[in-house]
Amino acid sequence: MNGKFVLGAEITRDRLDWGEMGWISRPADTQAKSICEIEVTLEPGFGHNFHKHPNQEEVIYVLAGEIEQWLETEKRTLKPGDSVFISPDVVHASFNVGTQTARLLVVLSPCVGDGGYELVDVSAEAPWNGLRQA
Amino acid sequence: MNGKFVLGAEITRDRLDWGEMGWISRPADTQAKSICEIEVTLEPGFGHNFHKHPNQEEVIYVLAGEIEQWLETEKRTLKPGDSVFISPDVVHASFNVGTQTARLLVVLSPCVGDGGYELVDVSAEAPWNGLRQA
């Protein structure tokens, strides 16, 4: 494949309990090897709890709304136009603590498997399980 | 480096004749190896003429405005939420033919050199130099 136009109206969107994942690029769709890109919507009150991607870099860019973004034990509020770069195997989390739907453009690279990414959930482990109550 | 928060207000922006490049991630800033990410503004009447990146995949995502996007000899109008995946060494171009500033989120991967990307301009070569007049 030389490339592919991916129109917003035609994106495959996986509806989940906490929002939606719209696939812009992953090996199964674009034959990408390097760029796994996802338009994520995160509903108010929901989040992606502490996790890491062992072999992938990630950039999260906020398109709309507002998120509480964690990078290891550091926390920042990110608004539209803000982003975070996360090195491989570094623990992070994103929570929508606002009142409107948050929209994020997420890139993971390089791609892993057909789905494009892999994830290790550490939300039940210390210190991650106590950070937000502290 | 384990990662880096990159706030929109603090991004390094290179002002060029045709718009602006705002660096979200490149080796010099985030120590990225895989994700080179740029917020590009493209003023009406301007464009990024036909070129290719020999060893990098690219995804262009439209944040605002409207562009005439070429993928080899195929042309589409892309609006906010639309995108294009471009395989390595495949010729492409983007032109702002609308009346408002276009804003694009561009990812190139993997990173090349400190600047993050490399480019071969083919705009003076056939068939690319005659496509828009055809």
Side-chain angles (χ1 to χ4, degrees), chain B residues 56-73:
Chain B
Q56 295 179 290
E57 293 180 359
E58 181 172 6
V59 172
I60 299 170
Y61 177 96
V62 180
L63 294 167
E66 188 172 309
I67 57 169
E68 174 190 303
Q69 177 65 44
W70 291 78
L71 177 60
E72 294 191 309
T73 58

Side-chain angles (χ1 to χ4, degrees), chain B residues 13-128:
Chain B
R13 295 182 193 271
D14 295 337
R15 284 171 197 272
L16 306 166
D17 286 348
W18 47 266
E20 217 175 57
M21 293 175 79
W23 293 94
I24 293 170
S25 176
R26 58 180 165 181
D29 292 338
T30 57
Q31 297 178 22
K33 292 179 180 162
S34 291
I35 304 179
C36 179
E37 188 159 329
I38 317 160
E39 203 185 81
V40 173
T41 60
L42 203 56
E43 297 301 335
F46 289 89
H48 195 179
N49 216 327
F50 290 90
H51 65 283
K52 59 184 181 174
H53 310 282
N55 301 299
Q56 295 179 290
E57 293 180 359
E58 181 172 6
V59 172
I60 299 170
Y61 177 96
V62 180
L63 294 167
E66 188 172 309
I67 57 169
E68 174 190 303
Q69 177 65 44
W70 291 78
L71 177 60
E72 294 191 309
T73 58
E74 192 183 356
K75 176 176 72 169
R76 292 274 183 96
T77 299
L78 300 186
K79 300 181 176 178
D82 295 337
S83 52
V84 61
F85 173 85
I86 304 154
S87 297
D89 214 36
V90 170
V91 174
H92 57 283
S94 314
F95 301 96
N96 184 349
V97 293
T99 55
Q100 61 168 307
T101 301
R103 291 177 55 239
L104 314 173
L105 197 61
V106 175
V107 176
L108 288 141
S109 178
C111 302
V112 176
D114 265 7
Y117 76 107
E118 60 182 358
L119 180 154
V120 177
D121 184 343
V122 298
S123 61
E125 301 170 17
W128 319 110

Side-chain angles (χ1 to χ4, degrees), chain A residues 5-82:
Chain A
F5 290 102
V6 182
L7 302 187
E10 299 169 357
I11 289 176
T12 302
R13 294 182 193 272
D14 297 335
R15 285 172 195 270
L16 306 166
D17 286 346
W18 47 266
E20 218 174 56
M21 292 176 80
W23 292 95
I24 292 170
S25 176
R26 58 179 165 182
D29 293 338
T30 56
Q31 297 177 23
K33 291 178 182 162
S34 291
I35 305 179
C36 179
E37 188 160 330
I38 318 159
E39 203 186 79
V40 173
T41 60
L42 202 56
E43 297 300 336
F46 289 89
H48 194 179
N49 216 327
F50 290 91
H51 64 283
K52 59 184 182 175
H53 310 283
N55 301 300
Q56 296 179 291
E57 292 180 359
E58 179 172 8
V59 171
I60 300 171
Y61 177 97
V62 180
L63 295 167
E66 188 172 309
I67 57 169
E68 174 189 302
Q69 178 65 44
W70 291 78
L71 177 61
E72 295 191 307
T73 57
E74 191 183 356
K75 175 176 73 168
R76 292 274 184 97
T77 299
L78 300 185
K79 299 181 177 179
D82 294 338

